Amino acid sequence: MLVSAICGVLSGVILALTGAGGGVLATPLLVLCVGLSPREAAPVSLVAVALAAAVGAVVALRTGQVRYRAAGAMAMVGVLFAPVGLRVAHGLPSRLIVVTFCGVMLIVGARMLAQVVQQGGDVPASQRCACQRDPDTGRFRWTFRCSVSLACTGAVAGLFTGMLGVGGGFLIVPALRQFTDIEMPMAAATSLSVVALVSSLTAATTLASGVYVPGAGWSFIATTVLGLAGGRQLAQRVPSRWSQIVFSVLVFGVALVWLAKSLF
């Protein structure tokens, strides 16, 4: 139970710092440290990330950091694709799910680290962005290219939410940094809102189907929320560049350890 609580706090803090890694780390931590199987860990991860992200999203909305129209668009598409991910997960062997998850983690970690190296953690060059903000209003200009980019991001995030029991933030944050001109704190806040909406609905559907959550799972869920609450205070003091670096290193480390344990 203590190990589960410690893992939950770590997951919550990372979720607060990056708007992502809590979800992508939750499932591996539950498997490697708590001893759950990938299928047992998925619903626990979903509930934990959904509740923690909801708390973080409410706080971020009050500070005006959430691009709520973009978050709503991605969430609507994500909710449609999450059930597809659930069906896919039930039809795949556990080892294949783990290998897929680890592969995605390595790719995402590499992309975010590359962004730090190429851009120094600054806002992406505006000419490369599909979604650019109006300098007068601060809102996105909703071009066709922007709408497609956000819709595809939501679809992929929803698919992995259902299939792997993650919030999808580990995909949303890099996508927002790649396709938009918003800074890391705003990307993290917007990601939390999408994660809260998609994960909450997916978690509710999963629990309604009669999925059992063990005692260690509830301990993990409670401490994830507490970890996020504390991590929000820390996030205000950590530079965006270092948030991305920490996230990338953690994702790489967990993916390699989990992959090695699964294959060997």
Side-chain angles (χ1 to χ4, degrees), residues 159-174:
L159 183 68
F160 279 98
T161 297
M163 187 168 69
L164 303 173
V166 300
F170 73 108
L171 294 169
I172 296 169
V173 171

Side-chain angles (χ1 to χ4, degrees), residues 69-79 150-151 153-155 172 176 190 194 198:
R69 288 187 177 87
M74 287 186 285
M76 283 191 294
V77 178
V79 167
L150 293 179
T153 300
I172 296 169
L176 287 174
T190 302
V194 180
V198 177

Side-chain angles (χ1 to χ4, degrees), residues 13-107:
V13 169
I14 297 301
L15 185 61
L17 287 175
T18 65
V24 76
L25 289 174
T27 299
L29 287 173
L30 286 166
V31 173
L32 296 174
C33 301
V34 182
L36 302 183
S37 71
R39 285 193 173 86
E40 291 173 330
V44 175
S45 173
L46 269 177
V47 175
V49 172
L51 290 176
V55 172
V58 170
V59 174
L61 278 168
R62 294 176 62 184
T63 60
Q65 290 186 309
V66 178
R67 300 295 86 189
Y68 57 88
R69 288 187 177 87
M74 287 186 285
M76 283 191 294
V77 178
V79 167
L80 295 177
F81 278 82
V84 178
L86 281 170
R87 288 195 291 270
V88 171
H90 287 301
L92 293 177
S94 295
R95 177 170 290 187
L96 181 57
I97 294 175
V98 170
V99 172
T100 301
F101 197 178
C102 291
V104 173
M105 289 171 70
L106 292 172
I107 292 171

